[in-house]
Amino acid sequence: MSPCPAPKSKTLSTLIHPKVLSRQELQERVAAWRRAGERITLANGCFDLLHVGHVRYLHAARQLGGKLVVAVNSDDSARSLKGAGRPLMPAEERAEILAALADVDAVVVFPEPDVRAIIREIRPDFHAKGTDYTAESVPEREEVEACGGRVAIVGDPKDHSVSEIIRTRLSPRQA
């Protein structure tokens, strides 16, 4: 009896969800989309407990047109930004949840404190940030513009945050 053929090699990320890509896979996917005439929008964040503010932000980012790439902070990166005890969920699970959203075309996890390197790698047409920023306060603004893109502030007012949900809904209440 002959052995079964070896399965086609898949990265850990695509075993989680086909939209969750490695950095190299993302660059290849973006190149294919560009050849097909698509624009690229990049959104990013920790997405540590998906809430309605995240969904509205990503939907608004998608409305900029083209394909929506979401970059998710790795566990170490999220911890450095949000503090001890965070993230609540591992990066692979946060990425898989985001990949399940219809508005999202690709998800990548990144270890850096910001997305400047990803901006250089994929050169998005738009870098979408939430309404807690202004175009001038986006840390990656100069990188986006140097790569030929534009910063777009999208989503509803910043009335939702994981930190606030933890503080008001998940922490023990004082009697």
Side-chain angles (χ1 to χ4, degrees):
M1 178 179 256
S2 63
C4 294
K8 185 177 176 187
S9 176
K10 292 187 176 191
T11 64
L12 175 61
S13 61
T14 55
L15 290 174
I16 295 170
H17 192 285
K19 290 185 196 175
V20 179
L21 306 174
S22 69
R23 297 278 276 268
Q24 182 62 41
E25 290 167 330
L26 177 63
Q27 290 175 49
E28 293 166 7
R29 184 81 47 94
V30 167
W33 287 336
R34 288 203 187 281
R35 285 192 299 275
E38 296 284 359
R39 292 189 305 183
I40 308 299
T41 298
L42 174 66
N44 71 284
C46 294
F47 302 100
D48 191 15
L49 187 59
L50 194 66
H51 57 70
V52 70
H54 291 138
V55 172
R56 291 172 182 167
Y57 161 58
L58 295 173
H59 182 71
R62 177 56 178 244
Q63 300 309 302
L64 294 169
K67 300 293 187 176
L68 177 59
V69 173
V70 180
V72 179
N73 293 79
S74 70
D75 294 344
D76 288 340
S77 177
R79 191 172 302 107
S80 71
L81 292 170
K82 302 294 185 178
R86 302 281 297 275
L88 299 175
M89 299 185 323
E92 293 78 16
E93 291 179 16
R94 292 181 279 131
E96 184 176 354
I97 290 167
L98 290 164
L101 298 176
D103 284 324
V104 175
D105 295 294
V107 180
V108 65
V109 176
F110 68 99
E112 299 90 352
D114 63 47
V115 290
R116 286 182 176 94
I118 293 176
I119 290 167
R120 288 190 299 274
E121 291 165 10
I122 68 169
R123 304 178 69 85
D125 298 284
F126 296 101
H127 179 42
K129 296 295 278 187
T131 57
D132 48 333
Y133 289 92
T134 65
E136 295 74 30
S137 71
V138 171
E140 304 91 351
R141 179 179 56 84
E142 289 180 8
E143 199 74 38
V144 172
E145 292 170 353
C147 290
R150 293 186 358 212
V151 169
I153 305 302
V154 300
D156 63 351
K158 183 77 173 181
D159 294 333
H160 315 278
S161 81
V162 173
S163 297
E164 187 65 14
I165 290 169
I166 291 169
R167 189 181 70 72
T168 62
R169 299 181 195 175
L170 299 180
S171 296
R173 299 186 191 271
Q174 301 298 322

